[in-house]
Amino acid sequence: MRPVQSFILMIILCSLCIVFYYSSFNLQLAYSHRSLLEVSANPTPEGNRVNHPPFGKDSKMTAFKEAKPSDPIPFTSSVPPVLQTAVTVSASFREFIPQNQAYWNRLLHFQLRRMGQRQEGIGQEGSNWSSCEQNPEHLRTNVHDFSSYPELHQVFIRGMDCRHPPILINQPEKCTSDGGDTFLLFAIKSTPKNFEQRQAVRETWGREGVYSGGVRVRTVFLLGSTSQDDPDLSQLLAYEGRRYGDLLQWGFKDSFFNLTLKEHVFYRWALTHCPNISFVFKGDDDVFANTKAILAHLQSLEPDKASKLYLGQVLTSASPLRDTKSKYYIPESFYEGPYPAYAGGGGYLFSGSLIRPLYGITLTLPFFPIDDVYSGMCFSALDVAPEVHPGFHTFDIREQDRENVCVHRNLLLVHKRSPQQILRLSRSMKNPLLIC
Ligand SMILES: *[C@@H]1O[C@H](CO)[C@@H](O)[C@H](O)[C@H]1NC(C)=O
Ligand SMILES: *[C@@H]1O[C@H](CO)[C@@H](O)[C@H](O)[C@H]1NC(C)=O
Ligand SMILES: *[C@@H]1O[C@H](CO)[C@@H](O)[C@H](O)[C@H]1NC(C)=O
């Protein structure tokens, strides 16, 4: 009996090995096409200069196919020195994300192993991040229930590696034209049709200029594009961009699952066109932010805190929602494990010096469909923990306080507010007769 038992055991072990070998082999196949990671082993001193716009004439241009094969969109895969960076993924993050059969987990650990084979996760090889339609065969093999995913999730996963949308409206002189370094950059996620929200923000908390203490505030709105079923807003947006000089628009569909892509292209833009930002506020266009209080807080920070800031309303021990009807639904076979602590995406602050390492990390971490969870992952990979500030309310405040100006004076951010509410709050806060 004994030899028979050990023989059976041997067979079982062998088949397990074969199954494992083939499952990683499939990932290998997909990733072996990658030829150039935008990370260089030797960041040059040139790295800080701004003379290599990523979409400039010098860059190598080629075309990728979107869903519409007849409509080629140019992208560049050469790496301007300004974007070169070297990153290491923290040990705590490597351990935090469980190694299991879920697709994202496997992609991540596959990338980390590849990085481990090179020195310190720095290398020349990797994706050129230009695959805009992943091989369906590959996806069916690696995600066993892919065809039962909701349409949006399927679209997201098929385009996960498509990272070079063209820039349609740019403000290349934003941070350099009138001199002076940017103390705070408001980077506001908006969508093409939100003209009214943007105007309310411009007239109130997003007003650009030099504030008390001589600190300079600049504002950009981050936009994707409308789809073909929507009215054509391109002329209106072009005018708005010229008139206010604060629009950035890229040629990808402005959708919830594309917010991670929006974040990635924003980092790239900031590295290229806006050097020396001290702090970034990243948030939505339907929030009320208390700019004076934010600036006062930032100016009070000790230097070591100021260089590693990630501040907002922190969500700890969150996990993927498995309800297919939820906006935040994540299938089990896509991601399994808890989320690292992250700051709610309605609005949070971080150090400008982190933009470069964050950008480097996004070249290693596969995109995740929920943008603030993805940011949390990136900060965690850099070993920067989110810090709680009680003044951030990304889920609004008590109903009886919502029109109370005095309550808002002590807050840094409230979600969500209509353009009219934003204007009213802002006006009453400026009222010299206000007694709290
Ligand atoms: C990027 O990779 C794809 C295949 O993964 C390849 O077809 C394409 O030529 C590459 N593009 C550049 C510019 O290297
Ligand atoms: C993201 O944008 C691309 C480019 O426009 C589009 O093809 C894709 O469908 C969008 N993805 C999602 C999940 O909306
Ligand atoms: C950025 O700051 C550094 C040091 O503070 C300075 O040397 C450099 O000129 C600044 N760059 C720009 C473009 O302002």
Side-chain angles (χ1 to χ4, degrees):
M1 280 312 266
R2 280 213 125 170
V4 175
Q5 277 177 343
S6 43
F7 181 69
I8 292 177
L9 196 68
M10 283 269 287
I11 296 218
I12 291 177
L13 280 175
C14 284
S15 10
L16 275 178
C17 285
I18 290 175
V19 166
F20 254 88
Y21 175 75
Y22 273 100
S23 57
S24 55
F25 182 66
N26 268 320
L27 279 176
Q28 205 111 20
L29 268 184
Y31 275 68
S32 63
H33 294 303
R34 306 187 151 177
S35 56
L36 181 80
L37 187 64
E38 290 180 31
V39 172
S40 150
N42 299 308
T44 56
E46 267 189 317
N48 292 325
R49 278 208 244 127
V50 232
N51 49 1
H52 294 269
F55 300 102
K57 283 211 183 78
D58 298 350
S59 5
K60 205 163 93 196
M61 302 291 271
T62 174
F64 73 77
K65 298 235 178 344
E66 247 199 332
K68 266 182 297 119
S70 58
D71 193 10
I73 293 177
F75 79 98
T76 167
S77 74
S78 64
V79 187
V82 70
L83 296 179
Q84 292 178 2
T85 182
V87 289
T88 25
V89 175
S90 74
S92 54
F93 179 70
R94 288 164 187 262
E95 279 154 29
F96 185 87
I97 305 292
Q99 295 199 39
N100 51 37
Q101 283 303 300
Y103 186 56
W104 196 92
N105 303 57
R106 280 163 63 205
L107 281 180
L108 175 77
H109 285 287
F110 180 77
Q111 287 280 75
L112 293 178
R113 274 196 300 279
R114 287 167 47 107
M115 285 171 71
Q117 284 155 11
R118 302 185 302 263
Q119 279 175 358
E120 292 214 300
I122 305 161
Q124 308 284 355
E125 276 180 87
S127 174
N128 60 18
W129 300 115
S130 55
S131 148
C132 287
E133 194 54 45
Q134 289 216 27
N135 182 353
E137 195 61 43
H138 161 77
L139 287 174
R140 273 196 297 274
T141 328
N142 279 288
V143 191
H144 65 91
D145 55 350
F146 185 73
S147 51
S148 71
Y149 277 20
E151 176 68 19
L152 274 182
H153 291 70
Q154 294 194 19
V155 169
F156 170 81
I157 294 172
R158 282 204 300 267
M160 253 169 104
D161 283 0
C162 184
R163 296 180 169 202
H164 290 272
I167 191 156
L168 305 179
I169 299 180
N170 195 1
Q171 313 294 338
E173 310 290 317
K174 181 83 199 169
C175 296
T176 47
S177 58
D178 53 357
D181 288 346
T182 311
F183 183 73
L184 175 62
L185 178 71
F186 281 115
I188 302 161
K189 297 178 274 181
S190 189
T191 57
K193 65 177 166 47
N194 286 3
F195 295 101
E196 217 189 359
Q197 275 90 337
R198 287 193 291 277
Q199 195 57 29
V201 171
R202 263 182 213 120
E203 289 180 8
T204 58
W205 58 266
R207 192 173 51 80
E208 299 191 291
V210 179
Y211 284 68
S212 75
V215 292
R216 191 176 293 269
V217 172
R218 291 187 163 100
T219 300
V220 285
F221 294 95
L222 314 175
L223 310 182
S225 299
T226 51
S227 75
Q228 280 178 329
D229 295 337
D230 296 317
D232 178 9
L233 301 178
S234 57
Q235 294 301 312
L236 293 174
L237 291 171
Y239 172 75
E240 187 187 359
R242 276 197 308 277
R243 173 73 178 76
Y244 296 104
D246 56 12
L247 290 196
L248 300 177
Q249 189 190 27
W250 286 271
F252 61 84
K253 187 177 164 209
D254 209 322
S255 66
F256 179 61
F257 281 180
N258 266 340
L259 285 177
T260 303
L261 175 61
K262 197 179 265 188
E263 177 158 306
H264 174 76
V265 294
F266 163 66
Y267 294 151
R268 191 154 69 204
W269 179 85
L271 285 177
T272 312
H273 297 294
C274 203
N276 294 358
I277 304 172
S278 304
F279 299 98
V280 179
F281 170 99
K282 188 139 181 297
D284 291 331
D285 62 3
D286 58 352
V287 302
F288 177 79
N290 187 342
T291 305
K292 247 170 104 179
I294 288 176
L295 290 174
H297 179 80
L298 294 176
Q299 284 170 294
S300 74
L301 295 175
E302 299 292 331
D304 60 328
K305 174 64 81 47
S307 65
K308 270 200 155 195
L309 189 77
Y310 176 30
L311 184 78
Q313 175 168 24
V314 178
L315 290 93
T316 47
S317 35
S319 284
L321 294 185
R322 305 303 192 189
D323 173 7
T324 50
K325 286 188 275 311
S326 165
K327 179 183 179 189
Y328 303 101
Y329 167 64
I330 296 293
E332 272 103 341
S333 60
F334 182 72
Y335 181 78
E336 216 172 313
Y339 293 148
Y342 64 97
Y348 60 91
L349 291 163
F350 64 95
S351 308
S353 58
L354 293 175
I355 298 174
R356 181 179 301 278
L358 282 169
Y359 179 73
I361 286 288
T362 63
L363 298 174
T364 298
L365 260 57
F367 278 0
F368 196 82
I370 305 174
D371 69 321
D372 46 7
V373 171
Y374 186 73
S375 316
M377 289 171 166
C378 293
F379 281 100
S380 164
L382 292 176
D383 229 351
V384 177
E387 191 196 335
V388 182
H389 190 296
F392 280 81
H393 293 267
T394 49
F395 300 105
D396 215 336
I397 51 176
R398 295 188 308 169
E399 199 160 350
Q400 63 263 41
D401 291 340
R402 288 187 190 163
E403 298 277 336
N404 184 331
V405 183
C406 290
V407 168
H408 285 77
R409 269 218 324 193
N410 302 316
L411 298 179
L412 269 64
L413 175 126
V414 182
H415 191 235
K416 83 188 247 169
R417 291 290 180 272
S418 69
Q420 291 70 22
Q421 287 173 319
I422 292 177
L423 289 170
R424 263 205 308 278
L425 273 172
S426 180
R427 254 185 236 124
S428 15
M429 267 164 70
K430 280 205 207 104
N431 183 352
L433 300 177
L434 177 69
I435 299 165
C436 287

